[in-house]
Amino acid sequence: MSIIAHAGTNDSLRILIPTSVAPFYGTPPATLRDSRGVSYPAPSFELSAAFQMAGNITSITSDTHSVSVSLGSLTAEVASDFNPTRAHVSLRADKLLTNDIVLELKSVGLDRPRCLVQRRVVGNETTSALSLTLVPRFAATPISSQEYIFLVDRSGSMSGGRIRAVRDALQIMVRSLPSKGTTFNIFSFGDRCDSLWPTSVPYDKESVTNAASHIDHLDANYGGTEIARALQTVFDSRKSADSATQKPAAVFVLTDGEAWDLDRVFANVANTVKDVRGTRVFVLGVGNQVSTEVRIFESISLSRS
Amino acid sequence: MCDGIARAGRGVATYVREAEKPDAKLVGLLKSARGAPVDNVSVDWGVPPEPVDDFDMVEPTEAPAASTPAAPSTAPISLFDDTSATIQQPELGPTDIEVQLPPVPRLQQAPARADQLPPLYPGDRFSLFAIISGEASSALPQSIKISGTMNGAPVTLDVAVEAAPTELAPKDQGAVPFIHTLAARALIQDIEDAAKPSPLTALAKAQIARLGTTYSLASSQTSFVAIDERAEQIAAKPADPEVSHSNLSEDCGEVDYEREESDDDMGFGLFDGGGTPVTFASSPVLSGIAATLSAPPGAVSRQKLAVSADEESDDDMGFALMDDDVSVPVQTSGVPAQTPPAPVQAPELSISSLARTQQFDGSFPATDSFIIADLQLGTVPVPPPQLVGGEVKQAVWNTILALAVIKKRFSTPEERIACEFMEDKAKEWILETIVDELGVAGDEAEKQFALWMGLAESHVN
């Protein structure tokens, strides 16, 4: 399960409970390959979740499943003492669930800094567990000059509505870049990776016009999702620039995919961010099945290989 | 994958669902990217620094012939340990390298290392866990302090520590309290992340195993063993690949192969679909009202956007009423007119359709066709006298009209976020242009802009 904190507004949390793992692209480890193709009996499924928030819960909804919600108590039964900071959600299905369960919870004061402590005494050992959470509110100093790189997933799975929505969003993004001190570039990736320009170009009338028509021709016709190589290509395009005058860069990855060998991807990104001053990577996950939590499987494949 | 890449890239990850427009989320990311985050984040949990650890952290490279089993113990190792020989059973499968774990540190924080703490971005939730070992008598910390730097300047925040609600306490004696579980899980994840991309070291594995067993968590190093009291009936089952594959919905604690058939207490649908916006565009009631209005000749039909019911109700004027004396704010005629749900002919007015027409400097095209076809205003509103004549003046007026259309048509919180930078740039361009090229005094520019903006908004209903 994972909690996607950044659900757009500060008063909502999105909770994702994966029921399956989104399809990965690439070659799975041999141990997993052999186990493919087994048929599953449809297990009955039951989800019960209790919510205790600091502030009043204003709503709990799910766009993905029909859940039953009872506000005011921690159990499905209505409690005699209605407590607006509590809620209970349940879901039962006798069929195999085909997509992840997404719950969205809105509550008052969710963004306030909070630090909870809970004590545990086992024998003569005492431990205190603390959980700190906050949604920072501060006016960030604008970065006066920056390189903006968009890396767009054009693999087959992006076809149809997804790539269309991405095209629209990119048009807005390109117009939203600061008109001064900006350079930018658009990379496409799938099983190959290419870019509109070899390296980023200054933001001006001509480059924006070219980018706009380029964006409207982005189709999902690039095959698989070779994200490791794509990120490397993006980082390489920065290395070729004169390091003395190099701007910091923000790389935006737009993808719906999953890929194997993520550890190498993460390590590569982390190293690049450490080495090349001022590179940051932002990610937009598109689609209901973007797995955010595949750690269990990562660990399995890691320990077996 | 997305979280991992953003974490490694010191950025932010965000998600859009299938039915959701990515505009606002993507612009939100841009907003994060345009500013400098708070870096070098650290948290003072009020725990005095660890005394210098004299424990030898050297990793054994291969299994030593005789070492103690992993245990959180600092007792001196006996050179002749009676129990040690009996443990060395030949085993199938991979043999774990045995390590001696250092004692549990007083403070365990996840993420642990300072360079692994994510930078703070406005609006992006930041979560951190810690487990502090102490004496039973020691007081709970009263407050903690977060510090960091933004562009070199120090920033801090003190957060008061509250006791968790008693409802979060475990019901069974001995069960792990909730926050311990979350914290231990974060600690395990942190150890696994730190090792990547190399395989976990023996020490890391032992640390994960200790956390897993102490706090009852399944992990890469620990598993639950399901014990079913009716074992004889289903003895062969656990080996069945059908059970062991990728469905995460199986219950970890207790195996129960009996399918729950009864579905009479499902109670679905009470809050069903609460998150789906309701579109009023094709409501028959609205069509009826629309039929009483006559569109002016030549008016371009406009598709009604999905709006919420209360927005619909605030004296929304039909555009049929405003085609003649347009330089004067239109009076309502007392008819609670609704915008007709016109047949879809013109391309849908959207933030992205307007983005496509915006110039790189923030301005919008200085043509009448832009107003009719792109802004989808029925007629070309007469500009204020100061903005009559010449391409620059028309561009300024059209850009103001575009801002008015964006402001009125895209008013949901998500749409506001998506438009934010387009609007900023357009306004910036207008202010610069009217000062530099139209001779408006610098300190008058904002006021002048607001006046024109008000006029433009009166043309957009």
Side-chain angles (χ1 to χ4, degrees), chain A residues 86 92 203 216 295, chain B residues 7 125 167 262 356 425:
Chain A
R86 295 177 183 173
R92 278 181 67 171
Y203 187 83
D216 274 339
R295 294 191 166 272
Chain B
R7 193 161 47 217
R125 185 171 291 275
E167 288 80 9
S262 115
R356 284 178 170 88
K425 272 175 79 171

Side-chain angles (χ1 to χ4, degrees), chain A residues 187-263:
Chain A
F187 284 75
S188 300
F189 80 100
D191 46 26
R192 61 188 187 278
C193 178
D194 50 42
S195 59
L196 178 53
W197 300 292
T199 56
S200 292
V201 299
Y203 187 83
D204 59 23
K205 187 172 181 151
E206 195 194 338
S207 60
V208 170
T209 310
N210 287 342
S213 75
H214 178 71
I215 290 167
D216 274 339
H217 290 97
L218 295 179
D219 284 314
N221 52 2
Y222 270 48
T225 310
E226 294 278 4
I227 188 138
R229 215 184 306 159
L231 281 165
Q232 195 53 55
T233 312
V234 168
F235 296 146
D236 288 348
S237 84
R238 277 185 38 82
K239 279 188 191 137
S240 51
D242 181 6
S243 60
T245 57
Q246 191 159 50
K247 300 170 191 290
V251 179
F252 296 88
V253 182
L254 291 84
T255 182
D256 68 344
E258 274 302 338
W260 298 101
D261 199 15
L262 283 175
D263 294 337

Side-chain angles (χ1 to χ4, degrees), chain A residues 177-189:
Chain A
L177 296 177
S179 45
K180 292 173 186 115
T182 297
T183 58
F184 74 118
N185 202 355
I186 300 167
F187 284 75
S188 300
F189 80 100

Side-chain angles (χ1 to χ4, degrees), chain B residues 108-282:
Chain B
Q108 302 179 86
Q109 174 190 300
R113 290 145 309 143
D115 66 325
Q116 287 292 308
L117 281 189
L120 297 179
Y121 286 94
D124 189 44
R125 185 171 291 275
F126 172 83
S127 297
L128 207 56
F129 291 98
I131 297 180
I132 300 169
S133 316
E135 311 297 314
S137 57
S138 61
L140 291 171
Q142 292 302 301
S143 81
I144 56 135
K145 187 187 207 67
I146 309 168
S147 347
T149 58
M150 182 164 61
N151 277 354
V155 292
T156 59
L157 177 73
D158 290 309
V159 181
V161 175
E162 309 160 45
T166 47
E167 288 80 9
L168 289 180
K171 290 185 182 66
D172 312 328
Q173 196 67 34
V176 180
F178 185 60
I179 296 176
H180 280 80
T181 306
L182 291 177
R185 189 174 176 277
L187 287 166
I188 290 174
Q189 179 179 320
D190 190 53
I191 295 168
E192 289 179 343
D193 280 356
K196 284 170 184 175
S198 327
L200 291 170
T201 62
L203 178 66
K205 284 183 183 175
Q207 283 172 327
I208 292 171
R210 179 165 70 188
L211 285 163
T213 50
T214 310
Y215 298 107
S216 301
L217 282 169
S219 69
S220 60
Q221 307 303 321
T222 47
S223 307
F224 285 108
V225 176
I227 298 168
D228 193 311
E229 275 139 28
R230 298 159 300 150
E232 69 282 357
Q233 294 168 17
I234 51 154
K237 273 284 186 179
D240 191 336
E242 288 185 341
V243 201
S244 66
H245 207 56
S246 73
N247 200 323
L248 288 182
S249 58
E250 59 198 291
D251 190 343
C252 286
E254 178 184 278
V255 181
D256 185 358
Y257 288 100
E258 259 177 44
R259 293 271 288 287
E260 303 208 339
E261 306 285 9
S262 115
D263 56 357
D264 31 29
D265 58 341
M266 300 227 298
F268 283 169
L270 261 183
F271 286 79
D272 190 4
T276 318
V278 183
T279 305
F280 289 90
S282 55

